[in-house]
Structures are given as structure tokens and as C-alpha cells.
């Protein structure tokens, strides 16, 4: 396997990890406005992701760093062309992180309600904007021969990209609800399970709409159809199993199947792109690929050595943190 291909796979794995892990953080943040009946319950929900959310965001930073180092032309085209959406993503993530820390500093309803709304919008904007971003990349953007993206508003925002954004948002919302069934107890856990059982049908409807539009708006099922079609079929199967396990009260398996559905969805997007990383709607000759957008062979070799050396420690630390904080949050001895 060429190093270009290896680093494309690593970037895909990093984004799969990001959406799997940060996805339930986003979902819990969104659920706070719908599920939490009072301040105590909203604090419990925040505490379920308290030990994890900042580490989960590292997957996004590492993914962006990997693109910068391994595929600098991809990084330059995407980050310059999507500058405004990325600014909103950054502001949303900053606001959400600040809200987690500042919410409990003043014991006043208005203070806490303000930060709760910031958590909500800071949790709903990033998955929606990332869904729009990946959908527009799949659809193709006006990239010229100099690898410069010249897009208008309709290239970013249209029926297909908005549908993709809604689908990703709903996937994360469902994932967060299922995470709450693993980390809470009592009435809050029951309400999270019931809401998740209702949301799964909205998720399936959004996925069907996105897949249908992908068939007409992109080459996702023709360019790499031998890979993407089975992956999409497995996505449907995984969410069918979510319904089955949820009805049986198998919360662990339900969450796992939701995570598998997210992983397969992101995997299908990257598989449909390969070996392209950005598609030009002007001409396929201007597509950015893992070959014309990559760093030199020596840079890729050095990066591979560094990644192989450090990655086990990073993964080990995160696995250990999940093990340490594996217990449910019941509100007792809780820090507000």
C-alpha cells in the first residue's frame, strides 16, 4: 500500500472516530433542551460527557492536522473555500466548551439558561455544518486548474447539502440519547430511551432522503458502487438493529449499533471519494486526489513513523479514561 493511500485511510479513520465519539457529545448537548426537566437533570446530562468531550474533540484536530501534513493542497483548498463555515464551527465549539465550565459559576436561573442555550447551539451547529460540508464535497465544488475553489452561496447551501446536514445532526442526536441510556438512571434514563425509540424513525427518513438525493446528485453509487452500495446497505441494517435492541432494552448493543451506523456512513463517504479528496464540478481533470494533493514521499514517511510511535499512547489514554469513568451518573455527590 502506498503511503498516500495509507494516510487517506488514516484521515478517514480519524473522522470516523470523531463522529462516533464527539457525535454523542453533540447529541447530549442537543438533548439538554428537550430532555432535561430541571437544572439537576441538565447538570447530570452535562456530567455524563464531562470527562470525555474535550478529548473527543482531539480527533477533529488530529484529522485536520493529518490533512495539513499529508495533503497540503487538500487542506489549502478546503480550508480557504470553507473559511466561513469553519469559523462558525470554531465559534460553536469554543462557546460550548466555555459554557460547560461557566454554567455552574453563578447560581442564578438566567445565567444557567443562557449557557444552556449556548450548549444547545454549540452542539447542533457543528454536526449540521459538517454534514453540509461533506455533502457539498460529494456533490462537487467549482475548483479550477489551480486548485482554487470559487463557489457561490448555492454551491454550499442547496437541497442536497441541507439534507445531508439534517441527517448528520439527527444521527448525532440519536447517538447522544442512546449514550444517556448507558450513563443515567431512573426516570431520565427511561425518557432518553423513549425519545430515542421515536427519533430512530426520523433518522431513517433522513437517511433515505439523503441516499435518494445522493443517487441523483452525486456519483457515490457509480464511481465506487461496488464498495458504497454494500456499506449503505449495512447502514440500514445497523439502524434496523438499533430498533430491535432498543425494544429489548439492550442499551449497550443499541448504542454500539448506532455507532456502527455512524462509522459506516462516514466510511461510505470516504470510500465514494477515493482516490479523490475533493471533486471539481468544472472538470474531473481538476479533481484533487491523494496523488496530486499529497506531500512528498519523505514527509509522508516521517509522518508515518511518528504516527505509529505516538498513536498507541493516545489511544491507550483515551481507552483508560473511558474505563475510569465507566459508571452511571446518578446525581449523588455531583459537582454542580
Amino acid at each position: 500500500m502506498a503511503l498516500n493511500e495509507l494516510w487517506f485511510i488514516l484521515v478517514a479513520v480519524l473522522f470516523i472516530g470523531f463522529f462516533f465519539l464527539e457525535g454523542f457529545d453533540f447529541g447530549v448537548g442537543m438533548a439538554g433542551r428537550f430532555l432535561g426537566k430541571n437544572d439537576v437533570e441538565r447538570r447530570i446530562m452535562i456530567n455524563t460527557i464531562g470527562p470525555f468531550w474535550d478529548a473527543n474533540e482531539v480527533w477533529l484536530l488530529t484529522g485536520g492536522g493529518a490533512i495539513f501534513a499529508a495533503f497540503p493542497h487538500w487542506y489549502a483548498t478546503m480550508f480557504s473555500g470553507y473559511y466561513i463555515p469553519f469559523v462558525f464551527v470554531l465559534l460553536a465549539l469554543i462557546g460550548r466548551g466555555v459554557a460547560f465550565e461557566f454554567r455552574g459559576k453563578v447560581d442564578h436561573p438566567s445565567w444557567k439558561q443562557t449557557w444552556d442555550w449556548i450548549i444547545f447551539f454549540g452542539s447542533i451547529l457543528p454536526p449540521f455544518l459538517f454534514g453540509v460540508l461533506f455533502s457539498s464535497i460529494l456533490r462537487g465544488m467549482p475548483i479550477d486548474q489551480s486548485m482554487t475553489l470559487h463557489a457561490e452561496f448555492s454551491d454550499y447551501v442547496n437541497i442536497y447539502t441541507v439534507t445531508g446536514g439534517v441527517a448528520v445532526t439527527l444521527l448525532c442526536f440519536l447517538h447522544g440519547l442512546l449514550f444517556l441510556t448507558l450513563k443515567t438512571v431512573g426516570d431520565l434514563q427511561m425518557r432518553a430511551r423513549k425519545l430515542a425509540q421515536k427519533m430512530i424513525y426520523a433518522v431513517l427518513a433522513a437517511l433515505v432522503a439523503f441516499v435518494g438525493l445522493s443517487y441523483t446528485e452525486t456519483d457515490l453509487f457509480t464511481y465506487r458502487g461496488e464498495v458504497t452500495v454494500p456499506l449503505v446497505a449495512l447502514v440500514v441494517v445497523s439502524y434496523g438493529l438499533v430498533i430491535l435492541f432498543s425494544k429489548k432494552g439492550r442499551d449497550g448493543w443499541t448504542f454500539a449499533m448506532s455507532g456502527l451506523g455512524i462509522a459506516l456512513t462516514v466510511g461510505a463517504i470516504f470510500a465514494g471519494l477515493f482516490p479523490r479528496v475533493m471533486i471539481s464540478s468544472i472538470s474531473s481533470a481538476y479533481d484533487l486526489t491523494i496523488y496530486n494533493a499529497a506531500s512528498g514521499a519523505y514527509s509522508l514517511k516521517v509522518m508515518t513513523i511518528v504516527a505509529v510511535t505516538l498513536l498507541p499512547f493516545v489511544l491507550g489514554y483515551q481507552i483508560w479514561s473511558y474505563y475510569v469513568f465507566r459508571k452511571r451518573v446518578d446525581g449523588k455527590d455531583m459537582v454542580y
Side-chain angles (χ1 to χ4, degrees), residues 127-196:
F128 177 77
L129 291 174
F130 277 122
V132 170
L133 183 151
F134 279 106
S135 299
S136 63
I137 289 177
L138 276 176
R139 187 172 181 263
M141 297 292 281
I143 301 172
D144 63 20
Q145 68 273 21
S146 65
M147 299 186 181
T148 303
L149 196 158
H150 302 280
E152 298 180 354
F153 181 77
S154 59
D155 294 309
Y156 298 103
V157 181
N158 48 68
I159 294 177
Y160 179 65
T161 59
V162 171
T163 302
V166 171
V168 172
T169 304
L170 291 177
L171 289 176
C172 292
F173 184 41
L174 174 65
H175 201 44
L177 291 172
L178 296 175
F179 181 76
L180 288 173
T181 66
L182 294 176
K183 297 294 291 183
T184 59
V185 297
D187 184 57
L188 181 58
Q189 180 195 40
M190 291 298 296
R191 280 186 279 119
R193 185 182 294 118
K194 289 181 180 179
L195 183 56

Side-chain angles (χ1 to χ4, degrees), residues 19 48 79 89 97 105 118 125 139 166 231 249 251 294 301 313:
F19 282 105
T48 63
F79 276 75
V89 169
K105 299 299 183 182
I118 293 175
L125 275 177
R139 187 172 181 263
V166 171
L231 287 176
D251 295 330
K301 181 178 179 180
F313 295 98

Side-chain angles (χ1 to χ4, degrees), residues 174 200-201 203-204 207 233-247 254 257-258 261:
L174 174 65
I200 179 59
Y201 297 104
V203 168
L204 286 173
L207 286 175
L234 288 174
V235 170
V236 175
V237 171
S238 66
Y239 283 104
L241 291 173
V242 167
I243 297 174
L244 177 64
F245 287 127
S246 180
K247 290 182 178 179
T254 307
M257 290 302 101
S258 171

Side-chain angles (χ1 to χ4, degrees), residues 7-19:
W7 276 95
F8 179 84
I9 293 173
L10 287 176
V11 169
V13 169
L14 288 169
F15 277 97
I16 288 172
F18 169 72
F19 282 105

